[in-house]
Amino acid sequence: MKVFTTRKMPQAGIDLLEAEGYKVTQWSEDRELTQEELIDDCKVADGILLSGRRKVDTAFLEACSHLKVISLFSVGYDNVDVAAATKFKIPIGHTPDVLSKATADTAFLLLLATSRKAFYHHKRIAKGDWDFFSPTADLGIDIHGKTLGVLGLGNIGYEMAKLCKSAYGMNIIYHNRSNNEQAEKELDAKKVSFEELLQQSDVLSVHANLTDELKGIFNKEAFAKTKPNAIFINTARGGIHNEADLREALENGTIWGAGLDVTNPEPMDKNNPLLDMPNVSVLPHIGSAVQETRDAMAVLAAKNVIAAFKGEKLVKCVNPEVYDK
Ligand SMILES: NC(=O)c1ccc[n+]([C@@H]2O[C@H](COP(=O)([O-])OP(=O)(O)OC[C@H]3O[C@@H](n4cnc5c(N)ncnc54)[C@H](O)[C@@H]3O)[C@@H](O)[C@H]2O)c1
Ligand SMILES: O=C(O)[C@H](O)CO
C-alpha cells in the first residue's frame, strides 16, 4: 500500500505507517503543493495524509476515486466536500481531541497578548521606543472576572472556557447548536442567543467549525452590537469574520481589540493595516503547533490510514455515513 503526504509530517506518524510495511512518499518541497500537483501525486497512492487548504472537491474525487482513505492532518474539514466524498465511498479521517488543549492555549495567549498589547510593546522596544515608565500611556484591559462569550462550545471552546474560568474567574456564556451539558455543570456556562453573546461578552472567542451559515457572521452588523471594550479572538477559521468590517470596528472603537490565529486569506499580507494596530495580535495559524500535539495528530492521522487499509472503520471519521449499507 502506498501513502502520500502533502507536507512533511512528524516522524511519529510516518514510523507507524512504515511499521505496517506501507510505502510513504512525502511532498518534499518547502511550499504547499498546488491542486494540480495534489491530483498528480494522489493518482499513484492508495491513501493520503492531507495537510493544508487544498480542496477535496468533486474534481479531485473524480480524478482520485481509487483512494481508500483521505486522512486529514487537522480537525477542521471545511476544505472537504464531505457529501461528495461519501458519494465516492471514501472515508475522511481527521484529528479531533488531541489538539484541543494546545489550540485553546493559543486562544488564551492571544487574549492575554491583546489585552496587554504585548506584540505592540515588543515592536516598540525593537524600534528603540522605550521611555522608562508611564503611568497613563498604552494601558491594557483587565480580563479578571469578565465575561467570556464562546461561539462554538465544542472540544476547543470547552478548553478555552475552562482556562478562562479557572485562571481568571471569568463568567462563561456560549452560543452553540446544542447544549454543552459538561460546560453548564462544571463551568456554570450559560447558553445564549448570538445576539446576547455579542451584547454581553467582554471577550468573544470563536471556536466553531466554518460552515456556510457562519461565513462572515462577525460582520459590521455584529460588531455594532459588541461592547466598546470587547476583545475579539478567532482561532477557528478566518472566514468566520469579515476582516474589513473588523478593521472598521477597531478604528471606530465599536470593539477594543482583536487576536487572530486565522485570517482570510492566509497568509496575511505583510502590509495589512491590522498589523500596525496596538490592540491587535496576529499569529500565523499555529493553534496546535507544539511538538507533543503535532506528534499526537500524526499518530491519529496514521491510525486512520491503517484502519482504512485493514478494511476497518476509521478511528475518527468525518463521514461515518460512508459505512452505511
Ligand atoms: N487555529 C488552529 O490551528 C486550529 C486548530 C484546531 C482547530 N481549529 C478550528 O477550530 C474548529 C473547532 O474545533 P473543535 O475540535 O473544537 O470542533 P468541535 O466540533 O468539537 O466544536 C465545534 C463546535 O461548533 C459548533 N457549531 C458549529 N456550527 C455552529 C453554528 N452555526 N452555531 C453555533 N455553533 C456551531 C458545533 O456544534 C460544535 O460544538 C475546527 O473546525 C477548526 O476549524 C483551528
Ligand atoms: O483544523 C485544524 O486542525 C487546524 O486549523 C489545521 O488546519
Side-chain angles (χ1 to χ4, degrees), residues 75-76 78 99-100 103 151-157 175-178 207-211 213-214 235-237 261-262 285-288:
V75 63
D78 44 287
L99 46 55
S100 301
T103 310
L151 175 67
L153 194 67
N155 291 325
I156 300 171
H175 181 66
N176 204 53
R177 280 189 186 138
S178 50
H207 299 286
N209 39 309
L210 175 62
T211 55
E213 190 189 345
L214 293 184
T235 55
R237 284 291 181 267
D261 184 47
V262 288
H285 204 143
I286 54 149
S288 64

